[in-house]
Amino acid sequence: MLGVQTIGNATLIAYDDVPILATDPWMGGDHYAYFGSWYLPYDIPNNIKEDITKSKYIWFSHGHPDHINQDSLNLFKNNKILVSEHFGSRIYKDLKSENFNVSVLKDREWINLSKNISVMSITTDIQDGILLLRVNNDIFVNLNDAGPYSSKFIKKQISKFRRRFLLSISTFEADMLNFFDEDDNFIKPANADKFSAGEYLSMISNVLGTNYIIPFSSIHEYQREDSIWVNKYIYPIEKYHEDISSKHTYIKPFSFINSKKDDDFININIKKRKLEIKSADSFGDNWKDELNIHDKKIIEDYFNKFTSFREKIGFISFIIGGKEHNLKFNGPKNKGISFELPRNSLLQACKYNIFDDLLIGNFMKTKLYNLRSLYDPSANFSNEI
């Protein structure tokens, strides 16, 4: 057995007779992400779960909980953990402190994992990691959430391979949707009505020079009562093949790619789970809970660490339990952001430095005052938190 199995959300398993490498293993079931907002709607078969846990190496691309899932993480105490050479080494240090056997892959260097499998890690400016995976004479470009960073370098590295596979995120709803303007009007995503996953994946494939496309890092749904509204924006898995360029061969999610034989792609037909809507309370979030004095100090200390946007906006306000708590900054007084969310998730985000996860969970309401977005260069908010 020599090849690659894709499964779950952003997991692939590379086999060289035995499972050698598994990436970003979020195992699903009752393992959730983003404060319980996300779940895996397709169960991973038990035999493939066993192969994931038996893999000699586990590679984590970045810190988001659909990639390093805290519920799944402890299954890998006996594996060799590989991470990219991220700035600051936070993931490496955190895993090391929890006694994982973890190593950093030197950036842009090929490392042999077995006779027929080698990998190259490429770090990005957004603290994500891209993995080039060689299996026999095939090359797999695992972009996960990173996008086409270092495209010229990647294109050159993979050009000598005849079969070049792209694995990439291909949705837009995970990029934070719960936004409103100062008049409390919902800001509908600009591409909500015209987005085509097939066109997007073909475009990325053209940039990198791949000739096979596998949807990846996009297989999730929302289950919290305060976030299930986002499910209507999730791109249907059965439409991914539409608009794929004729230059590219489309491979369905949850497929095995045989690296010994051309055109041997075996798809697992996994039935979708029925959505079970879960309360915010079941994840420790009561929307009626209010902040106390100690809570306010935690929030203030967290946001006062970020110096850049403090000079560019005038305020951030938090609406917790129906009451507002304001932080004043040095920028224009009419520019600011308000966040409405439950107390518990806010405090957890501040404690563990994961405020970005609240935005992706999409149950927190974000209101923008005289800002185009959190990426607005006049604020620079998303680049700091």
Side-chain angles (χ1 to χ4, degrees):
M1 188 178 191
L2 185 62
V4 164
Q5 173 74 55
T6 66
I7 202 70
N9 181 60
T11 301
L12 64 79
I13 310 159
Y15 295 87
D16 191 352
D17 289 331
V18 296
I20 299 297
L21 171 74
T23 67
D24 289 343
W26 174 21
M27 303 296 270
D30 59 355
H31 295 185
Y32 307 129
Y34 300 106
F35 307 95
S37 187
W38 288 25
Y39 79 105
L40 274 186
Y42 298 91
D43 287 326
I44 300 174
N46 287 334
N47 64 313
I48 296 181
K49 281 188 174 181
E50 288 182 14
D51 286 347
I52 294 170
T53 56
K54 289 178 181 177
S55 295
K56 183 175 181 180
Y57 299 96
I58 303 292
W59 179 73
F60 290 119
S61 60
H62 65 290
H64 281 153
D66 56 318
H67 296 267
I68 300 181
N69 183 267
Q70 288 300 311
D71 294 328
S72 301
L73 182 59
N74 285 325
L75 297 173
F76 305 105
K77 285 285 188 179
N78 296 321
N79 306 75
K80 294 181 179 180
I81 307 297
L82 305 175
V83 296
S84 297
E85 200 173 18
H86 296 297
F87 177 78
S89 302
R90 177 181 169 187
I91 294 174
Y92 170 79
K93 291 174 183 176
D94 286 350
L95 291 172
K96 199 75 174 175
S97 70
E98 296 181 34
N99 297 315
F100 284 91
N101 180 6
V102 56
S103 300
V104 176
L105 292 172
K106 196 159 184 64
D107 202 44
R108 304 191 180 206
E109 287 191 8
W110 285 104
I111 305 295
N112 293 324
L113 302 185
S114 72
K115 179 182 177 181
N116 294 297
I117 293 176
S118 56
V119 295
M120 176 189 286
S121 172
I122 302 168
T123 56
T124 74
D125 293 340
I126 58 171
Q127 294 289 76
D128 203 336
I130 295 169
L131 194 71
L132 303 187
L133 167 67
R134 180 193 66 83
V135 181
N136 199 17
N137 296 315
D138 292 333
I139 189 75
F140 297 82
V141 182
N142 181 353
L143 290 186
N144 59 89
D145 298 355
Y149 276 80
S150 303
S151 57
K152 290 182 179 179
F153 176 80
I154 292 173
K155 190 171 187 176
K156 183 178 180 180
Q157 286 292 319
I158 71 174
S159 61
K160 63 183 178 181
F161 294 90
R162 184 173 58 86
R163 299 204 305 177
R164 305 175 299 277
F165 297 83
L166 170 68
L167 301 96
S168 170
I169 190 171
S170 46
T171 64
F172 65 87
E173 59 45 57
D175 196 23
M176 314 166 194
L177 287 190
N178 203 359
F179 285 89
F180 294 75
D181 64 21
E182 55 262 40
D183 296 320
D184 211 33
N185 297 310
F186 176 64
I187 303 174
K188 187 177 181 179
N191 56 357
D193 297 323
K194 57 185 179 181
F195 178 78
S196 166
E199 286 183 1
Y200 174 79
L201 289 169
S202 292
M203 181 270 291
I204 299 295
S205 191
N206 283 332
V207 169
L208 297 178
T210 54
N211 49 9
Y212 292 81
I213 291 172
I214 310 174
F216 201 63
S217 199
S218 307
I219 318 299
H220 62 267
E221 285 191 359
Y222 294 78
Q223 66 175 359
R224 276 180 55 144
E225 59 189 355
D226 45 13
S227 67
I228 55 169
W229 63 273
V230 188
N231 284 332
K232 66 182 178 182
Y233 292 105
I234 288 181
Y235 203 83
I237 195 170
E238 61 272 11
K239 290 183 65 177
Y240 274 93
H241 71 282
E242 296 178 6
D243 302 319
I244 294 287
S245 165
S246 59
K247 294 165 53 178
H248 305 114
T249 299
Y250 174 78
I251 301 173
K252 292 181 179 180
F254 319 140
S255 290
F256 178 76
I257 296 90
N258 187 344
S259 291
K260 287 184 175 180
K261 182 181 178 182
D262 280 3
D263 302 321
D264 188 9
F265 311 128
I266 303 170
N267 178 249
I268 305 172
N269 187 18
I270 303 176
K271 187 176 180 180
K272 188 177 180 181
R273 294 172 61 184
K274 183 179 179 180
L275 171 63
E276 296 180 14
I277 300 173
K278 299 187 182 299
S279 68
D281 283 337
S282 63
F283 301 104
D285 276 337
N286 185 333
W287 280 84
K288 294 181 180 179
D289 287 348
E290 299 176 11
L291 297 174
N292 58 40
I293 294 175
H294 178 65
D295 297 338
K296 293 176 181 178
K297 181 69 165 54
I298 291 173
I299 296 164
E300 289 166 9
D301 288 346
Y302 179 78
F303 282 92
N304 282 330
K305 293 187 300 185
F306 306 114
T307 57
S308 177
F309 72 78
R310 294 178 74 250
E311 302 300 320
K312 297 179 178 180
I313 61 175
F315 66 91
I316 296 178
S317 69
F318 299 89
I319 302 172
I320 312 295
K323 295 187 177 180
E324 192 166 0
H325 176 57
N326 289 295
L327 303 181
K328 295 188 183 299
F329 298 130
N330 301 326
K333 292 182 179 180
N334 67 337
K335 285 189 175 184
I337 311 164
S338 78
F339 299 107
E340 185 172 357
L341 71 159
R343 169 186 176 271
N344 183 63
S345 285
L346 174 58
L347 294 178
Q348 291 295 308
C350 292
K351 179 179 179 181
Y352 295 109
N353 295 305
I354 52 171
F355 194 85
D356 192 50
D357 289 6
L358 291 171
L359 293 159
I360 300 173
N362 276 316
F363 55 86
M364 177 175 70
K365 179 179 179 180
T366 302
K367 187 181 282 192
L368 304 173
Y369 294 84
N370 295 298
L371 294 171
R372 289 173 293 174
S373 74
L374 292 184
Y375 300 102
D376 192 321
S378 69
N380 203 35
F381 182 85
S382 287
N383 290 335
E384 283 214 34
I385 60 167

